[in-house]
Amino acid sequence: MDAQSRGRADEIDPADQWVLNPRTGNYELRLGDSAAHQQAGGVAAPRRAPSAPGKPKAPSPAVPRPRRGDGPPGGRRGGRSRKGGGGADGRRRKALLVTSGTLAFLLVGGAAAAYFYYDHLNGNLSVTDIAGAGTGGFKKDQAINILVIGTDKRSGSGNEGYGDKDSVGHADTTILFHVAKDRSNATALSIPRDLITDIPSCPTKQPDGSTKEIKGTKGTRFNNSLGQEGRDAGCTMRTVKELTGIEIDNFMMVDFNAVKTLSTAVGGVPVCLEKAVDDEDSKLKLAAGEHRLAGEDALAFVRTRHAFGNESDLDRIKTQQQFLGSMMREMKSKETLTSPKKFFSLAEAATKSLTVDQGLGSIDKLTDLAGELKDIDLKNITFTTMPVLDNPAEKVKATVVVDRALADPLLQMIRGDVSLTEVEKKEAAAQEAADADSKAKQEALLQGNRVPAADVRVSVYNGGGPKGSASTTLNWLQNTKGMSRASNQGNAPAKVGATQLEYAPNQADQARALADALGLPATALKMGTADAAAKTPMKLTLGPDFQQPGTPLAAPVPQELPKDVQQAQADKAVCAK
């Protein structure tokens, strides 16, 4: 992330704490000026840094004052547990509800947990205008795709010893985080920084409000999609879309400081090493066994490239996935969920470390996202990596290319919203068995009469097919197949997993005629239960399996990964080796 060393005048000290006021017997929020607080016996005012000459003072942060009788954030008052929904306890329970379900891109979790710092935390966020690179933002009734970017740009206090001194940063660590439409599972796809790919042309917003078009580049490292030649996160989003065929809703970006501050705020991240490590480059020096890492040690662990495996970036990706999985487990642990101090620290660390697009540019929007993620079980979150091969064009192997034999099925599963977890596979297998039982009935839908082409009434929608598919299909149906009563309705209200034709029982003869023309399989036909009124059109929604009219639909989405695709579940601890 392009984290700045902001030195904000309205900064809240993480050392602020809830203390017992001996005069009232109630817990109150003591801010950093403890001496003043003790003299006054109440809540001290937030500290301010002196304003710069000629500049207006920053507004006071929205720090809530505890009411008389309110207990501490821990939820206890006078040895008794409060049960009401209001006051500090009610706010804390709401915060716990949001945070406990948030994946440990805890950036979201930390921000949502401390929502009562609303104005202050909003001021911590950095927001980038991505010039239309995404969908405009995630939607509650659809699958969610968030691009998480870790940049190696040297910015922020304490980062002086890392990275290239003069570098504007790269897409050093990139994870495409896909959340299922039903919110039951998620897939985190890592994209290697040394992958050779094409970076498309991308418009970028300039400081003066103008838009600059940055030309695309063929056959270059993926990590050049950010920072280089003035590219912003929107360029990385466009590159990932072209590489995977998956449209991105939003992005989150962090830099070196995020690992240090978040790992410290959570109280350290447990890791396990099968062997001792002494890496001069990353400064990681650890004995074999279990450790709890925070700050500089945590950053060294995720940066090391020579300590594990064959010392490649691919093995570093596995180490980073193990670290993130462990951080997720730590975030959902009892020790974290019941610690007010950790919540305050995480809120500050998360928001200060985060750059987002305008679709996520407020605590309200981050809280909405947290609400969509809160119920996903860690056992149903799968880390995987884009399958790659050594670049055949190189004698000295330094870069990689996509392994299409393994990558295509993986990407089809993500696009088709198919879970990679064992639990979900069992459910999918059960559903497949149920579908097999009804296969004969489905095939019977294609048996029967057909109407003349001129009598087919159908509205065509694009629900995930190539851009312009609805218009292309309409022209083809009217001019090639004589179906003059077809109409183009543009984009569907929601995307579909596969092309489907919805029709009423009394439209079955029309549906068969259209299925013949387009080569639709029986599985694409969805017959309703009630007859339609006269002249009511059928509804054809083109999905990601649709290529062009007259071409058979793409093969069904695979339900299981090839065995050689790397994957790991977030709930399982794995020792680095």
Side-chain angles (χ1 to χ4, degrees):
M1 152 180 174
D2 186 10
Q4 301 292 328
S5 180
R6 295 179 176 82
R8 295 181 54 86
D10 55 346
E11 204 164 79
I12 301 299
D13 193 327
D16 298 342
Q17 55 188 301
W18 290 88
V19 297
L20 180 67
N21 187 330
R23 297 190 343 184
T24 65
N26 295 329
Y27 281 90
E28 298 174 350
L29 180 64
R30 176 186 293 169
L31 299 179
D33 297 327
S34 57
H37 181 283
Q38 290 170 356
Q39 293 174 5
V43 179
R47 293 173 299 174
R48 291 179 183 270
S51 297
K55 294 183 179 180
K57 293 183 179 181
S60 299
V63 180
R65 294 177 59 91
R67 299 176 299 177
R68 284 183 62 87
D70 280 355
R76 299 193 63 82
R77 174 174 175 253
R80 298 176 58 187
S81 173
R82 294 190 56 169
K83 296 183 179 180
D89 286 344
R91 290 193 298 272
R92 191 177 77 86
R93 273 195 293 274
K94 184 175 180 182
L96 289 175
L97 172 66
V98 174
T99 302
S100 63
T102 303
L103 311 173
F105 294 128
L106 7 140
L107 314 172
V108 180
Y115 73 97
F116 39 82
Y117 274 122
Y118 183 87
D119 289 338
H120 171 71
L121 296 180
N122 270 329
N124 282 349
L125 292 170
S126 294
V127 182
T128 296
D129 186 338
I130 54 176
T135 63
F138 72 92
K139 298 176 177 60
K140 293 182 179 294
D141 58 347
Q142 296 184 25
I144 298 173
N145 294 300
I146 305 290
L147 194 65
V148 181
I149 307 169
T151 176
D152 59 357
K153 180 175 181 178
R154 277 182 40 168
S155 59
S157 177
N159 284 336
E160 294 82 1
Y162 305 116
D164 181 354
K165 179 179 179 180
D166 300 316
S167 175
V168 292
H170 303 78
D172 193 59
T173 298
T174 305
I175 299 175
L176 173 56
F177 195 63
H178 171 84
V179 182
K181 180 178 180 179
D182 65 5
R183 307 299 186 254
S184 67
N185 65 87
T187 299
L189 174 68
S190 294
I191 301 176
R193 55 167 289 161
D194 295 326
L195 174 66
I196 296 299
T197 189
D198 294 338
I199 299 176
S201 298
C202 61
T204 58
K205 287 289 185 179
Q206 304 300 301
D208 62 0
S210 64
T211 299
K212 177 183 178 181
E213 184 83 11
I214 299 178
K215 293 182 179 180
T217 305
K218 297 287 187 181
T220 188
R221 275 181 166 87
F222 172 82
N223 69 346
N224 289 329
S225 64
L226 177 71
Q228 310 307 299
E229 300 179 34
R231 296 187 178 101
D232 62 12
C235 298
T236 306
M237 293 172 71
R238 289 181 169 89
T239 303
V240 172
K241 178 184 176 182
E242 187 166 296
L243 178 65
T244 65
I246 299 169
E247 188 133 27
I248 314 300
D249 297 307
N250 303 97
F251 86 88
M252 296 178 175
M253 185 164 64
V254 296
D255 74 350
F256 292 136
N257 270 335
V259 176
K260 294 190 289 185
T261 57
L262 289 171
S263 61
T264 299
V266 80
V269 177
V271 299
C272 174
L273 282 68
E274 286 195 1
K275 63 180 183 180
V277 171
D278 188 357
D279 180 9
E280 293 183 1
D281 290 339
S282 68
K283 307 298 188 294
L284 180 66
K285 186 173 183 178
L286 296 171
E290 297 181 355
H291 301 269
R292 182 174 285 269
L293 304 182
E296 296 290 346
D297 289 337
L299 178 58
F301 183 81
V302 299
R303 288 187 66 242
T304 183
R305 187 167 178 161
H306 305 294
F308 308 114
N310 62 4
E311 302 186 9
S312 70
D313 185 55
L314 298 179
D315 282 293
R316 177 165 59 180
I317 286 174
K318 293 178 184 178
T319 302
Q320 292 169 346
Q321 291 174 351
Q322 293 163 12
F323 184 86
L324 284 173
S326 182
M327 189 175 274
M328 289 182 184
R329 296 190 295 274
E330 194 66 18
M331 280 294 297
K332 293 182 73 105
S333 69
K334 180 180 178 181
E335 288 74 14
T336 299
L337 295 178
T338 58
S339 172
K341 181 178 180 181
K342 287 186 179 180
F343 274 121
F344 281 92
S345 296
L346 280 168
E348 289 296 311
T351 52
K352 284 183 179 179
S353 298
L354 193 59
T355 293
V356 296
D357 60 273
Q358 292 173 309
L360 289 179
S362 71
I363 302 305
D364 271 348
K365 293 174 181 177
L366 287 171
T367 303
D368 287 344
L369 178 58
E372 295 298 305
L373 308 178
K374 66 184 177 63
D375 293 328
I376 304 178
D377 196 307
L378 291 181
K379 68 183 179 182
N380 288 335
I381 301 174
T382 303
F383 287 103
T384 188
T385 303
M386 175 75 79
V388 294
L389 300 167
D390 286 336
N391 188 347
E394 295 176 336
K395 292 183 179 180
V396 178
K397 304 304 180 184
T399 61
V400 293
V401 296
V402 174
D403 182 348
R404 285 296 169 193
L406 298 180
D408 287 347
L410 170 60
L411 295 176
Q412 285 176 0
M413 292 179 72
I414 296 175
R415 288 194 296 264
D417 205 21
V418 176
S419 172
L420 307 187
T421 66
E422 291 295 335
V423 172
E424 295 297 321
K425 285 182 195 173
K426 291 177 182 177
E427 293 180 1
Q431 183 62 48
E432 189 175 348
D435 291 344
D437 293 337
S438 62
K439 185 176 180 180
K441 293 181 180 179
Q442 193 72 27
E443 291 292 340
L445 296 176
L446 292 175
Q447 305 301 316
N449 297 328
R450 274 83 167 155
V451 299
D455 293 337
V456 173
R457 297 178 183 271
V458 60
S459 296
V460 184
Y461 296 82
N462 188 349
K467 186 176 181 179
S469 294
S471 176
T472 301
T473 300
L474 173 67
N475 292 335
W476 186 82
L477 289 174
Q478 290 181 338
N479 299 324
T480 303
K481 294 299 180 179
M483 296 183 177
S484 56
R485 292 178 176 175
S487 63
N488 173 16
Q489 299 300 317
N491 290 331
K495 293 183 179 181
V496 294
T499 298
Q500 59 184 32
L501 174 62
E502 300 170 82
Y503 62 97
N506 62 336
Q507 295 173 321
D509 49 0
Q510 294 185 57
R512 295 184 194 107
L514 184 60
D516 289 347
L518 286 171
L520 299 179
T523 53
L525 274 59
K526 311 295 179 185
M527 185 171 70
T529 57
D531 284 347
K535 299 184 179 180
T536 299
M538 301 180 292
K539 181 180 179 182
L540 173 65
T541 306
L542 307 175
D545 56 345
F546 183 83
Q547 301 173 43
Q548 61 182 16
T551 300
L553 298 182
V557 175
Q559 299 298 308
E560 190 167 342
L561 278 179
K563 64 179 181 179
D564 292 332
V565 174
Q566 175 264 337
Q567 58 179 309
Q569 268 61 55
D571 66 322
K572 294 182 173 63
V574 179
C575 288
K577 56 184 179 180

